Amino acid sequence: DAMVIQNPRYQVTQFGKPVTLSCSQTLNHNVMYWYQQKSSQAPKLLFHYYDKDFNNEADTPDNFQSRRPNTSFCFLDIRSPGLGDAAMYLCATSRGGTSVQEIQYFGPGTRLLVL
Amino acid sequence: DQQVKQNSPSLSVQEGRISILNCDYTNSMFDYFLWYKKYPAEGPTFLISISSIKDKNEDGRFTVFLNKSAKHLSLHIVPSQPGDSAVYFCAASGDNYGQNFVFGPGTRLSVLP
C-alpha cells in the first residue's frame, strides 16, 4: 500500500513554463519534505513543512515554492523552470515530535525534464 | 561543501560475503545517522539508524558502526544477498527533532550470485 504518493512520476515542461509537482501521504505525518536529486548526487533538501510551518533551506532558489493546503497534500511549484532544474524530486514525510528520532518515508519521486 | 561523504560510488561483492559501505562526515554537531536503501524507480527506504550515544546498532544482517572521533560510520551486511543490490545513502542530522537531514551521494552495491 503506497504511503507517500507522488504524481506524476514523469513530468516534461518547457523552459520558463510553470510546473507543479504533487505529493500526498496516508501516514498522517506532521512533517513533509521536498528534496531535489540530480544524477549521482545526494538528495538536497529544498524545504519542509512542520504542520503549517514552512521551513525554507537558505540556499533554495526563489524559483521554488511550496504549498501545503492540508495534512495529506504538499505541492512543489517551480515558477520558471530552467534547464538546471531537471532532476528527480523526492517527497518525504516524518512523524514529527520531540521525543522520537525521526525516520523519513519517501515517495517514488517525480522526474522532471525541462525542454 | 559536502558535509556527508560516501567516497565509493560503487561496490561489488560476491553473494554470501560481507559488504561494507562507508560514510564520513565533517560536521561534529551531527548526532543521529541513518542508512537508506534505494531500488530503481522507488524512493529511498529506511534501513537502520544509530544515535551518537552508541557505537554499534544491529538489525538482522545489517550492522552500523559509528566512530565519532573519526567522524566515520559504516554499514555491514552479512551475508550479502542479490536482493541487497541497490543504492545505499548515508544521512546525518544534528538538530533535536531530526528534521534537517543531510544526505551523502550514495554507494551502488552490486551483489553477484
Side-chain angles (χ1 to χ4, degrees):
Chain A
D1 293 334
M3 297 182 290
V4 182
I5 303 157
Q6 290 188 245
N7 287 307
R9 296 292 304 275
Y10 299 90
Q11 176 73 58
V12 181
T13 191
Q14 290 179 323
F15 183 93
K17 185 175 180 180
V19 65
T20 295
L21 309 182
S22 73
C23 177
S24 63
Q25 55 134 339
T26 60
L27 296 163
N28 204 34
H29 281 171
N30 290 321
V31 192
M32 294 187 78
Y33 309 77
W34 279 105
Y35 287 86
Q36 178 194 63
Q37 186 186 17
K38 296 187 177 179
S39 180
S40 301
Q41 295 183 22
K44 179 182 177 302
L45 182 63
L46 296 173
F47 23 60
H48 74 275
Y49 274 94
Y50 193 115
D51 287 332
K52 295 182 180 180
D53 292 334
F54 178 68
N55 298 273
N56 198 31
E57 292 301 297
D59 56 354
T60 298
D62 292 340
N63 198 25
F64 291 85
Q65 303 285 320
S66 185
R67 296 171 283 136
R68 188 179 186 186
N70 53 53
T71 301
S72 300
F73 285 87
C74 194
F75 299 99
L76 170 61
D77 300 309
I78 308 176
R79 292 192 295 189
S80 181
L83 299 179
D85 296 327
M88 176 71 81
Y89 290 88
L90 294 164
C91 174
T93 74
S94 67
R95 192 188 312 173
T98 58
S99 63
V100 61
Q101 289 175 321
E102 297 282 75
I103 295 171
Q104 293 182 328
Y105 295 81
F106 284 84
T110 294
R111 183 166 295 283
L112 178 68
L113 182 62
V114 181
L115 301 177
Chain B
D1 179 30
Q2 274 189 309
Q3 296 188 69
V4 178
K5 302 176 186 181
Q6 293 177 256
N7 290 324
S8 298
S10 63
L11 175 68
S12 292
V13 170
Q14 209 69 35
E15 181 180 4
R17 308 295 275 276
I18 185 171
S19 295
I20 300 176
L21 295 98
N22 293 304
C23 177
D24 297 287
Y25 60 96
T26 58
N27 189 338
S28 57
M29 298 301 292
F30 287 150
D31 58 7
Y32 178 49
F33 306 88
L34 306 91
W35 286 94
Y36 285 84
K37 179 169 73 172
K38 184 183 183 303
Y39 292 121
E42 296 182 12
T45 55
F46 170 74
L47 191 57
I48 193 168
S49 65
I50 189 166
S51 166
S52 60
I53 62 174
K54 293 185 173 182
D55 54 19
K56 177 183 173 181
N57 189 25
E58 194 171 352
D59 183 3
R61 296 185 298 114
F62 303 92
T63 304
V64 57
F65 295 92
L66 175 62
N67 182 334
K68 290 186 288 293
S69 60
K71 295 191 182 70
H72 176 82
L73 62 155
S74 61
L75 174 68
H76 292 212
I77 307 173
V78 183
S80 301
Q81 300 174 353
D84 296 329
S85 297
V87 177
Y88 289 80
F89 292 99
C90 171
S93 172
D95 69 62
N96 287 334
Y97 306 108
Q99 284 151 25
N100 289 314
F101 289 99
V102 179
F103 279 77
T107 295
R108 181 177 300 279
L109 174 66
S110 299
V111 180
L112 308 173

